[in-house]
Amino acid sequence: DLMVQLGAGESDLDLDSLTLKGVDLKMGAGKTTVDLTGDYAKGFDASIQGGVGEATVLLPSGVGVKAKAQGGLGKINAEGLERVGDSYVNDAYGESDVTLNVDVQGGVGEINLKVV
């Protein structure tokens, strides 16, 4: 499990090479990029709480992803994902043995979900 609490500024979290059981990220103010594009053998839950600014979450294409994103004040962009009910899923969702569940709660600013 990884727990990160950020203050103000710009941050890039490259988590794609880690073996993760869970991620809990609390953003402060600024711009944050979180890379979850690893080739995971097991699924996990990631919780990202936004502050003020822009949050970009990079998601894998070969592993199933189910993402929920709720913004406070700002826009939600979901590149490479399809809206299903109140969630966004990638093409591998339901097809792969592994699923990442990502919950993004935005504060003030933009949420970018990108499958790469």
Side-chain angles (χ1 to χ4, degrees):
D1 289 327
L2 178 66
M3 179 184 248
V4 179
Q5 189 164 355
L6 302 170
E10 185 172 330
S11 58
D12 292 315
L13 299 173
D14 186 0
L15 308 179
D16 68 336
S17 63
L18 299 178
T19 302
L20 298 169
K21 293 181 182 178
V23 174
D24 185 8
L25 170 63
K26 293 180 176 69
M27 294 174 40
K31 182 178 179 181
T32 299
T33 301
V34 181
D35 186 346
L36 297 174
T37 61
D39 184 19
Y40 301 104
K42 294 185 179 182
F44 64 88
D45 295 336
S47 173
I48 301 169
Q49 295 178 347
V52 178
E54 181 180 349
T56 300
V57 183
L58 304 177
L59 302 165
S61 60
V63 173
V65 173
K66 181 177 183 182
K68 288 188 177 185
Q70 297 176 337
L73 298 174
K75 186 177 178 183
I76 298 172
N77 302 306
E79 185 178 313
L81 298 163
E82 178 184 343
R83 181 90 187 219
V84 176
D86 65 346
S87 301
Y88 298 92
V89 298
N90 68 353
D91 290 340
Y93 180 73
E95 301 293 324
S96 71
D97 293 335
V98 177
T99 299
L100 302 183
N101 294 298
V102 181
D103 184 16
V104 183
Q105 301 288 325
V108 177
E110 196 169 289
I111 298 172
N112 301 304
L113 303 172
K114 294 182 182 180
V115 174
V116 293

